[in-house]
Amino acid sequence: MELYIFNQDRELAGIVESFEYLRWTRRYSQCGSFELKATATPENTALLKEGNILWKSDDEEAGIIEHLELSQTDSETITASGRFATSFLARRIVWQTETLSGDLSACVEQLLNNNLISPSDPARQIPGISFSSPNLGIPISAQVSYRNLLDAVTEMCDTSSIGIKTVFAPATGIFTVTLYAGAVSQAVFSKEYENLTEQTYTESAADYANSALVGGEGEGAGRTFVAITGGSGESRREIFVDAKDLRSEDFGGDYTDALTFRGQSKLSELAIRYSFDASVNPHGNLIYKTDFDIGQTVKVVSKTWGVSMTTRIMEIEETYDADGQSVGVTFGKSELTIAQKIRSDMSQVKTALSASTGVSEVAEAIGDLTEVSPAIQGDTVADTINNLFGKLPALEVIVGAGTISAGQYALHNMAPGDSIYFTSWSGNKFSDQPSDDGHIFLVKHSGASTGNGYQRAMGFFISRNTMTFYVISVFLYNNPSGQANWLSFPLGALTDIAAAIRGSTFAASINNVYNAPVSGVRIADGAVTGAKIADRTITTAKIAAAFTDYSTTEQNTGRIWIDGRTIYRKVVNLGSLTNATPKSVAHGISNISTVTGLTGIATNGTFFLPLPLARYNNFASQIGLYADTTNVVVEPGNDRTAFTGFVILEYTKTI
């Protein structure tokens, strides 16, 4: 046996020369799997990559590496594991509703063609995969929607006792998905015949059911039902199969057959499980792949246990290690795993939720609205919730003239839409003193005056005494007669402020302080004021502007000329230049003191000329440039009408 590795292009990449062990598990109606452990040599590490293909030379099938693990104890090892190539089906779902009717092979071919081999969307195609199967004589009538493609196909195979495998052709790189019916073998396995070394027999009826009531479309008395019965009395075990997703319009006269097939599939899944796990004696009288193979029907006998069963080989696990090859065989169907049980139960939930008539099942989870208190009961769940909100306790508080508090005064002076929080409320006064009944948060109503001499605010109040939550409306008297004493106490009176800086309000007085000279005596133009400091301060913004900002509006560069005046900058658009005649353009700058810089450019889109332009050997092509207190003047020496000009002026101002 050789282990060949093919890359994802299905080209031979190399051979695994040595390995510690290989577990190769073949399954009849399900996808097989493998695990390979080898020394992490550079060669093995290069070959064993995710997505590469592992093919065993004495087998039809190949494995796809899906998981890698590197570990180090005494030596470095690499473990590669994955599933057989049938797992390509697991990469697709049944994209839309597929109505299946006919032989099992035709139905599986339909699913594969529409979702993997030749789907309508080319992006969903997996190239190099084909399907081949004889007519199996197993009729199918079913509907599949949005399920994992592998699960849908293997479930039908398992129910019908049909095998599935994906044969790999190394020469072409083609994978062929194949269905087959296992043959009948004359092999008899028994410890008494010394062809088994270990054996475990399992019989489980924990999930067993033999009768099913299948519910199709419709509601109540109008719903379609099909009964599949078996046994009576104590031996009868019943289940309900929800098949609302199957619609008669999709099956016509075969609708009953479709419901029956759904029920039979479920009963097959829940049949009594008989299984025999055994290790085959490699030196016994039966030779693997000659006398017995995967999917074949054989006889298993244990005289000691009194067991004799004719059953199918559902799984064969080949193990290769330092001791050689060993073969483990599973006869019959083993118990459902937890994952299989969950998947089965969830399929029933999905059926109820996806069915067009399955609303009642969802409503059961929400509950009956008639159980809700009549005080808040609405026509819908949403109405009921809204009614509950509407039943919250509410307060209306009238704050009249003469009942003045700090909170009331502040609320009166708020703009509509402003919000305010008070730490307490007592009677009809709002305070910032934490000594009364609760906490309140208010937003002033945008309508302000109610027209009756009051203003309105709305919000929430939490009573400290009763821990009650209220929605609150406050009507505030529109002309409070005064303000709380504490509001004027820390500020003092305006008459206490020095006359030199006193304004009509506290805010005006503060602004006067900000703009006043450093000393009490004003020092003419030499006074250091906040405005002057701000004008002369070289800020980050001004530094950035000095080096980066060019605008047709005046910019303060933050720099100072030799006479101490601020330097400004402005760009003047000259428009199109003239043909050997001067052109004057008003720069729009008032109070120019000194022009500290005058440069520019002229361009026709291809050439960029500096302004002014001087030429040592072609005086006629020169361009002159100057400015006065009103205009910028440009003087082309020849025809420059194809050029547009811009001038950068830097200057100081008299004021």
Side-chain angles (χ1 to χ4, degrees):
M1 179 199 70
E2 299 287 351
L3 292 182
Y4 294 91
I5 303 296
F6 292 77
N7 60 27
Q8 295 187 46
D9 293 326
R10 302 176 192 175
E11 299 168 340
L12 181 63
I15 300 175
V16 179
E17 298 290 352
S18 62
F19 57 88
E20 293 186 18
Y21 79 82
L22 169 66
R23 184 173 65 248
W24 189 263
T25 305
R26 303 169 64 204
R27 297 185 177 94
Y28 180 57
S29 298
Q30 302 291 329
C31 181
S33 61
F34 70 93
E35 183 177 70
L36 173 69
K37 184 176 181 180
T39 303
T41 62
E43 294 78 13
N44 285 341
T45 304
L47 289 174
L48 301 177
K49 298 289 188 182
E50 185 273 326
N52 279 0
I53 300 165
L54 174 65
W55 178 62
K56 194 160 64 74
S57 59
D58 61 350
D59 207 303
E60 293 181 299
E61 296 191 84
I64 310 298
I65 298 175
E66 297 176 312
H67 180 81
L68 289 168
E69 182 177 314
L70 286 165
S71 60
Q72 182 175 12
T73 51
D74 295 334
S75 61
E76 291 185 357
T77 59
I78 182 170
T79 303
S81 59
R83 293 173 293 174
F84 289 0
T86 304
S87 64
F88 279 129
L89 277 62
R91 303 184 185 187
R92 295 292 181 268
I93 64 169
V94 179
W95 196 261
Q96 56 190 1
T97 299
E98 298 277 358
T99 301
L100 307 176
S101 181
D103 188 73
L104 173 62
S105 61
C107 293
V108 171
E109 184 174 22
Q110 174 184 330
L111 290 175
L112 266 61
N113 281 339
N114 292 346
N115 296 282
L116 186 145
I117 296 175
S118 54
S120 57
D121 180 359
R124 300 188 67 223
Q125 181 187 27
I126 299 180
I129 296 181
S130 63
F131 176 79
S132 175
S133 173
N135 188 297
L136 299 167
I138 299 175
I140 298 292
S141 184
Q143 195 175 73
V144 183
S145 303
Y146 319 119
R147 292 192 61 192
N148 181 275
L149 181 59
L150 178 63
D151 289 344
V153 171
T154 55
E155 182 180 289
M156 288 192 293
C157 290
D158 190 54
T159 299
S160 307
S161 295
I162 292 297
I164 181 171
K165 61 184 177 181
T166 300
V167 179
F168 179 55
T172 62
I174 300 296
F175 288 101
T176 303
V177 181
T178 303
L179 303 185
Y180 66 102
V184 176
S185 170
Q186 300 302 313
V188 178
F189 289 88
S190 175
K191 285 203 71 173
E192 286 80 3
Y193 295 162
E194 297 184 347
N195 51 29
L196 297 180
T197 58
E198 298 176 359
Q199 60 185 16
T200 301
Y201 173 70
T202 303
E203 180 177 331
S204 176
D207 300 299
Y208 174 54
N210 57 14
S211 299
L213 179 62
V214 185
E217 64 183 2
E219 292 287 345
R223 189 170 185 181
T224 302
F225 291 95
V226 169
I228 304 172
T229 60
S232 62
E234 186 177 310
S235 65
R236 178 164 168 148
R237 303 192 185 190
E238 300 174 344
I239 60 168
F240 176 73
V241 179
D242 194 331
K244 279 186 175 179
D245 57 315
L246 301 181
R247 299 174 299 177
S248 59
E249 63 187 70
D250 295 324
F251 295 94
D254 296 328
Y255 186 55
T256 300
D257 293 340
L259 295 178
T260 301
F261 182 80
R262 174 68 64 83
Q264 289 173 336
S265 298
K266 188 65 176 178
L267 289 176
S268 174
E269 180 183 308
L270 300 179
I272 296 177
R273 300 275 167 162
Y274 303 96
S275 67
F276 222 115
D277 293 336
S279 295
V280 177
N281 183 354
H283 307 294
N285 63 331
L286 299 176
I287 301 174
Y288 176 41
K289 292 188 177 180
T290 299
D291 298 309
F292 67 96
D293 204 349
I294 189 75
Q296 292 183 349
T297 301
V298 297
K299 191 170 185 177
V300 183
V301 176
S302 174
K303 294 180 180 179
T304 304
W305 295 344
V307 174
S308 177
M309 55 187 291
T310 299
T311 186
R312 191 179 300 280
I313 298 176
M314 300 300 294
E315 181 178 300
I316 295 179
E317 182 178 276
E318 305 171 19
T319 303
Y320 304 84
D321 54 25
D323 297 327
Q325 179 188 13
S326 61
V327 177
V329 179
T330 298
F331 304 96
K333 293 184 178 181
S334 57
E335 290 185 86
L336 291 175
T337 65
I338 293 176
Q340 288 171 324
K341 290 180 181 179
I342 292 174
R343 187 160 58 240
S344 175
D345 292 342
M346 285 304 296
S347 68
Q348 293 294 299
V349 175
K350 290 177 182 176
T351 295
L353 292 178
S354 63
S356 57
T357 55
V359 178
S360 59
E361 283 80 356
V362 180
E364 288 176 7
I366 298 175
D368 191 343
L369 282 176
T370 59
E371 299 172 2
V372 179
S373 170
I376 60 171
Q377 187 183 119
D379 294 332
T380 66
V381 174
D383 288 343
T384 301
I385 294 172
N386 288 332
N387 290 343
L388 175 62
F389 179 79
K391 295 300 180 182
L392 288 171
L395 289 177
E396 283 196 355
V397 180
I398 304 297
V399 182
T403 54
I404 303 303
S405 70
Q408 178 189 344
Y409 189 80
L411 186 61
H412 172 75
N413 288 281
M414 286 163 53
D418 287 350
S419 60
I420 192 168
Y421 167 76
F422 302 104
T423 58
S424 61
W425 169 72
S426 178
N428 58 1
K429 292 188 178 183
F430 301 99
S431 169
D432 70 336
Q433 305 301 314
S435 59
D436 293 314
D437 292 341
H439 300 263
I440 188 166
F441 177 83
L442 295 175
V443 177
K444 191 166 184 179
H445 195 275
S446 59
S449 176
T450 63
N452 297 313
Y454 288 85
Q455 294 181 341
R456 186 178 185 184
M458 301 185 69
F460 305 100
F461 167 68
I462 302 175
S463 170
R464 183 183 292 117
N465 295 333
T466 63
M467 296 306 294
T468 305
F469 176 84
Y470 295 91
V471 178
I472 187 169
S473 295
V474 177
F475 294 91
L476 181 70
Y477 187 65
N478 206 24
N479 295 298
S481 57
Q483 59 192 38
N485 290 334
W486 74 268
L487 190 62
S488 61
F489 175 76
L491 296 177
L494 280 174
T495 55
D496 295 333
I497 300 174
I501 58 172
R502 186 190 309 149
S504 59
T505 65
F506 285 103
S509 301
I510 293 170
N511 287 333
N512 289 342
V513 173
Y514 176 76
N515 291 312
V518 173
S519 67
V521 180
R522 186 173 299 276
I523 312 176
D525 290 339
V528 181
T529 65
K532 291 181 179 180
I533 292 174
D535 183 64
R536 294 291 300 274
T537 301
I538 298 179
T539 64
T540 303
K542 288 181 179 178
I543 292 173
F547 290 100
T548 62
D549 289 353
Y550 290 86
S551 174
T552 55
T553 60
E554 186 175 88
Q555 302 290 310
N556 184 336
T557 67
R559 294 179 288 130
I560 302 299
W561 186 238
I562 57 176
D563 59 3
R565 288 190 169 96
T566 300
I567 297 176
Y568 298 88
R569 178 193 298 133
K570 184 176 182 180
V571 176
V572 179
N573 187 343
L574 300 176
S576 297
L577 303 190
T578 56
N579 182 3
T581 59
K583 179 178 182 179
S584 296
V585 177
H587 50 59
I589 302 169
S590 302
N591 306 314
I592 282 186
S593 172
T594 302
V595 174
T596 62
L598 181 63
T599 59
I601 61 166
T603 179
N604 62 358
T606 302
F607 297 100
F608 296 87
L609 306 179
L611 296 179
L613 173 65
R615 293 285 181 85
Y616 76 95
N617 62 352
N618 188 355
F619 297 107
S621 65
Q622 295 185 133
I623 303 176
L625 181 69
Y626 70 91
D628 56 30
T629 57
T630 305
N631 298 308
V632 174
V633 181
V634 59
E635 299 175 321
N638 57 8
D639 186 0
R640 298 293 187 182
T641 54
F643 285 76
T644 300
F646 296 90
V647 168
I648 303 167
L649 269 170
E650 290 195 350
Y651 52 92
T652 63
K653 298 196 291 187
T654 57
I655 55 173

